Amino acid sequence: MIRLILVVAVMVAGLMFGPEASGNKGYVLISLGNYTVESSVTSAVILAVLFYGVLHILEWLLGRVFGLRRKTKGWFGTRRRRKANLQTVNAALAMAEGHYSQAEKLLVKGADNSETPLLNYLSAARVAQARGDDIRRDHYLQKAQEENPKAELALTLFQTQLQIEQGQYDSALGRLESIYALNPRHPMVLDQLRQIYLAREDWAALIDLAPALRKVGKLTPAQEEELLQQAWCGRLDAASDTLDTLRPIWQELPRKLRQDPALLASYGDRLRQLGADGEAAELWLDALRKQPSPELFARLPKLKLDDYQPMLTLLQKMQDQPGAKAALAQTYLLAGQLDEAQRLLEQEVQREPSAAICHALGQLMDKRRLTNKANEYYRQALALAGI
């Protein structure tokens, strides 16, 4: 519509001014230094239009030439990128098949023209580690750093994870401690510290770290409890050389954890190993009065005591609890009350045979000088124990 209006306007202007302009061609004078150009208005307009047309033709020709260059350059660039992507895919397949040398070569070749060279170098670093070449691994990580200087934290954490997997705990810990000082709530930093402390059995550091791991979502409450159990058991085990070193560790435990059956069992076992059976018995019986535990019931018959009556009294009151009747039967045997022991042991072996019950029956039959019976129960005990 606009073009039509312009054409009509030009036609109207021509009809109005054409007759008058035909008798008066006008005059154009251009003077530049010593040069002078004279022309009619009509000739000047025609020359200007021709000049404008020549400029358009030149522009078109130049556009075609440079456009072809750009297209050619783009075609070669696209081909190189396509080739780099294919090399990266082939490298991934080689990694999956365990051909690490081939994968490393393909990843490095494809890095220069890859759209994601950072990923190429990270993958090459992992492949180099799989080949056991830590020097090349660190070289590729340095190349990755050069590709993206702003990703220093991520690349450092990638490197420390590789070092942890390689068992280079000292090197990884040195880097992580500096990062932890600046990022004390970073989930990955905390989790990598957990891996190192576990591997190095640094139980005290792990105990301090557990609450932070739960706060950042790396541990559920149940997992935190399990980790703390493991750490405190580790501390108890490390201090179990003497009673003087063992007891203070137990006193360091929070009150709530001192009621945990797993930790009670662990501490009591170490007391027994050091000959403090009476102390272990007192500890376990006190805990059972507050909260029945099959784990502790099963350990009571392992105690060597001068007087089993307090244990018998408690077990008689609690024999309806899971595991209590079996413990009572074995304690009767330890106390020399063979008739009561045999009655309960035979009930237990009928209800739920176990290696411990069969072994106790074998001991009882030995005491009654019934050797064949004793041997039969011992064989059953070995079979149930998978020996």
Side-chain angles (χ1 to χ4, degrees):
M1 179 63 71
I2 294 175
R3 290 180 180 180
L4 181 60
I5 293 172
L6 290 173
V7 171
V8 172
V10 170
M11 291 176 65
V12 171
L15 290 173
M16 292 176 62
F17 299 105
E20 182 178 353
S22 61
N24 185 8
K25 296 182 179 180
Y27 179 75
V28 174
L29 174 64
I30 301 173
S31 177
L32 183 63
N34 297 324
Y35 298 93
T36 301
V37 178
E38 298 179 6
S39 172
S40 66
V41 172
T42 304
S43 299
V45 170
I46 292 172
L47 288 172
V49 170
L50 290 174
F51 182 70
Y52 181 73
V54 171
L55 287 178
H56 267 288
I57 292 171
L58 286 173
E59 182 186 20
W60 179 80
L61 288 173
L62 291 172
R64 294 286 292 182
V65 171
F66 287 105
L68 179 62
R69 182 180 176 184
R70 284 194 298 270
K71 288 180 181 178
T72 304
K73 183 178 179 181
W75 181 82
F76 281 113
T78 301
R79 183 176 178 276
R80 285 194 295 268
R81 286 192 295 273
R82 190 182 298 116
K83 183 178 180 181
N85 291 337
L86 181 60
Q87 287 172 332
T88 302
V89 171
N90 289 334
L93 295 175
M95 287 173 62
E97 295 174 2
H99 302 313
Y100 297 124
S101 179
Q102 179 185 358
E104 183 180 346
K105 290 178 182 178
L106 289 170
L107 286 166
V108 175
K109 282 183 179 179
D112 289 338
N113 296 303
S114 173
E115 295 176 350
T116 55
L118 177 67
L119 298 182
N120 280 62
Y121 286 125
L122 291 180
S123 298
R126 185 169 287 281
V127 170
Q129 171 151 309
R131 297 179 63 194
D133 193 336
D134 297 343
I135 295 176
R136 293 183 69 80
R137 176 198 69 190
D138 294 338
H139 168 70
Y140 294 136
L141 290 172
Q142 181 61 38
K143 296 286 286 183
Q145 174 70 34
E146 293 170 2
E147 287 291 336
N148 194 340
K150 294 182 179 180
E152 182 179 0
L153 177 59
L155 292 173
T156 301
L157 290 175
F158 185 85
Q159 182 175 20
T160 51
Q161 184 61 49
L162 291 180
Q163 289 173 332
I164 291 170
E165 293 172 6
Q166 197 74 358
Q168 299 170 336
Y169 303 119
D170 291 339
S171 299
L173 184 59
R175 286 186 170 88
L176 284 172
E177 284 177 340
S178 60
I179 299 175
Y180 178 69
L182 299 173
N183 302 274
R185 292 183 175 274
H186 195 291
M188 184 62 72
V189 174
L190 294 172
D191 190 60
Q192 289 189 6
L193 286 172
R194 176 191 63 81
Q195 295 176 55
I196 293 173
Y197 294 154
L198 275 172
R200 298 179 65 177
E201 298 185 352
D202 191 343
W203 307 119
L206 196 59
I207 290 166
D208 293 337
L209 190 68
L213 284 164
R214 179 178 55 80
K215 287 179 182 178
V216 300
K218 279 297 182 179
L219 293 178
T220 64
Q223 289 172 332
E224 180 189 16
E225 182 179 349
E226 182 180 352
L227 183 63
L228 286 173
Q229 283 181 356
Q230 182 182 2
W232 280 109
C233 285
R235 285 200 68 186
L236 290 170
D237 187 56
S240 61
D241 291 337
T242 66
L243 290 172
D244 290 337
T245 57
L246 179 64
R247 288 171 179 147
I249 299 299
W250 179 254
Q251 295 303 317
E252 287 184 30
L253 265 78
R255 185 181 298 274
K256 180 181 178 181
L257 289 177
R258 275 185 277 173
Q259 304 302 317
D260 182 88
L263 289 169
L264 282 163
S266 179
Y267 180 54
D269 285 342
R270 283 152 183 78
L271 288 174
R272 285 195 312 106
Q273 292 168 4
L274 294 171
D277 290 62
E279 189 174 341
E282 184 179 348
L283 177 76
W284 286 345
L285 292 177
D286 184 58
L288 287 169
R289 291 186 187 99
K290 298 173 183 176
Q291 180 65 45
S293 167
E295 189 172 6
L296 296 184
F297 282 136
R299 278 173 161 76
L300 289 178
K302 297 179 181 180
L303 296 168
K304 297 178 180 179
L305 304 173
D306 295 330
D307 183 10
Y308 289 97
Q309 192 55 48
M311 192 185 301
L312 288 170
T313 301
L314 178 66
L315 290 172
Q316 286 165 355
K317 292 179 181 178
M318 305 183 71
Q319 59 184 297
D320 293 336
Q321 296 292 334
K325 186 170 287 188
L328 177 59
Q330 294 174 77
T331 306
Y332 274 133
L333 178 60
L334 293 172
Q337 300 181 32
L338 301 185
D339 292 338
E340 289 296 327
Q342 184 171 349
R343 179 179 63 82
L344 291 179
L345 286 170
E346 287 176 346
Q347 289 178 8
E348 286 297 301
V349 83
Q350 290 296 324
R351 186 184 67 83
E352 187 178 359
S354 67
I357 293 298
C358 289
H359 186 266
L361 274 168
Q363 290 178 313
L364 189 146
M365 295 304 166
D366 266 338
K367 290 180 180 291
R368 294 190 182 278
R369 301 182 183 281
L370 299 173
T371 305
N372 291 336
K373 273 283 193 182
N375 291 336
E376 182 181 343
Y377 282 122
Y378 286 142
R379 282 193 293 270
Q380 289 183 32
L382 291 172
L384 288 169
I387 299 175

